[in-house]
Amino acid sequence: MTPATANKDGSQEDLPRHLAIIMDGNGRWAKARGQARVQGHRRGVDAARRATTLCGEAGIPYLTLFAFSSENWRRPDEEVRFLTQLLALSLEKELGRLHENGVRLNIIGDPASFGRNLAKTIDRAVEKTSSNTNLTLTIALNYGARQELVTAARLLAESCVAKELTPEAISEADLERVLNTRGLPDPDLLIRTGGEVRLSNFLLWQLAYTELVFTDVLWPDFDETIFWEAIAAYQGRQRRFGQIGEQVESQSGIG
Ligand code: FPP
């Protein structure tokens, strides 16, 4: 994995610093092949590995994957059990390779609800990779943005009760400090596979100015071509952050 930032053609222009992905379509991928949904999830793990490698090779330093939403508990118990085991096994299997490639693992959401086995595997992986600096791989597990914001509001209210903060002094930076994503830059690019065009309660605060790319490709089919197509779409857009074009052009670093 190369830490230097580079496009496919070797140029260094305008890569996103933080890529977030809503991985969707595992079940449909399997159904289309007459296979059980769990086969789609297995191939989904391969696609997650590809996405991580591609970010590492391009030198994109932050990748965030939405693996399990707080709403996913509504799936059949058997599928939830399978996903829990698959995530634990995949993490155990990939840990050595992630560490060798300088990947730091970070988890957002509430993984405790998945039971002791996955929680222990996660703790071990997070601890082992904590000093790595090439790529921060954040996995959202039992994550929901509204719940994250409610928890943040409670924490700020507690700080006010404890007289550490006053309500009128609360700033965006104060709120960011109590989000699950504290310390991470906001995503520059979000890719959602699987054909749906919505955010599904993912990083609602953090995606405020993010460029969004939706593709019909099902997650297990995510590959280098789709990755670079999404990057090209991102590079073709002008990010304005609420300003008019000329203002943006006159400021360095914002394109
Ligand atoms: C998406 O397809 C499935 C998920 C988001 C569940 C878990 C993801 C994986 C196993 C991929 C690998 C992840 C990691 C972090 C190793 P879906 O079941 O919603 O598909 P459907 O919309 O076609 O039913």
Side-chain angles (χ1 to χ4, degrees):
M1 228 179 243
T2 45
T5 301
N7 281 290
K8 206 179 178 187
D9 63 4
S11 72
Q12 314 246 311
E13 176 207 346
D14 246 5
L15 277 171
R17 213 172 144 230
H18 185 173
L19 169 63
I21 305 183
I22 300 179
M23 307 177 289
D24 198 9
N26 293 351
R28 279 165 286 159
W29 184 94
K31 193 171 173 217
R33 286 159 181 77
Q35 298 175 8
R37 288 177 58 82
V38 295
Q39 284 305 114
H41 295 319
R42 284 203 174 96
R43 297 287 78 81
V45 172
D46 298 337
R49 190 185 305 109
R50 280 196 293 279
T52 309
T53 306
L54 284 162
C55 283
E57 285 172 356
I60 293 173
Y62 296 91
L63 170 65
T64 298
L65 301 175
F66 199 10
F68 197 94
S69 77
S70 36
E71 288 76 27
N72 284 158
W73 292 109
R74 296 186 200 132
R75 293 179 181 216
D77 287 353
E78 202 186 328
E79 183 169 337
V80 172
R81 260 200 307 277
F82 178 87
L83 280 172
T84 308
Q85 282 172 6
L86 181 68
L87 289 168
L89 280 175
S90 307
L91 263 186
E92 275 166 26
K93 196 166 149 238
E94 301 295 332
L95 180 57
R97 193 174 357 187
L98 290 172
H99 188 49
E100 277 163 28
N101 283 292
V103 178
R104 176 170 77 97
L105 182 74
N106 179 44
I107 302 290
I108 56 171
D110 180 19
S113 349
F114 289 102
R116 285 252 309 276
N117 188 27
L118 182 56
K120 267 170 44 193
T121 307
I122 286 173
D123 286 350
R124 203 169 47 242
V126 168
E127 164 71 26
K128 187 177 165 84
T129 62
S130 61
S131 329
N132 292 337
T133 54
N134 281 353
L135 168 65
T136 298
L137 170 63
T138 299
I139 301 182
L141 273 178
N142 192 18
Y143 171 86
R146 287 188 173 185
Q147 293 86 330
E148 177 187 36
L149 289 166
V150 168
T151 304
R154 285 197 189 121
L155 290 168
L156 291 177
E158 282 168 14
S159 296
C160 289
V161 170
K163 305 258 185 276
E164 294 155 4
L165 205 59
T166 58
E168 54 284 357
I170 294 173
S171 64
E172 291 189 10
D174 290 321
L175 193 121
E176 275 164 5
R177 266 193 290 277
V178 289
L179 293 176
N180 288 187
T181 49
R182 63 191 154 270
L184 301 178
D186 288 342
D188 303 292
L189 170 63
L190 171 91
I191 302 173
R192 180 174 186 147
T193 62
E196 311 289 354
V197 186
R198 55 175 170 262
L199 295 179
S200 299
N201 203 17
F202 187 47
L203 300 177
L204 296 181
W205 169 277
Q206 299 85 343
L207 294 176
Y209 290 104
T210 303
E211 295 298 329
L212 310 177
V213 170
F214 297 94
T215 165
D216 290 338
V217 165
L218 303 173
W219 178 245
D221 290 327
F222 182 88
D223 63 6
E224 194 177 6
T225 306
I226 312 301
F227 174 82
W228 285 110
E229 274 173 14
I231 302 278
Y234 167 81
Q235 288 169 335
R237 295 187 194 170
Q238 190 189 26
R239 302 187 74 199
R240 292 196 178 147
F241 299 93
Q243 303 173 69
I244 57 168
E246 299 96 68
Q247 276 177 298
V248 174
E249 275 157 25
S250 68
Q251 289 170 14
S252 60
I254 305 174

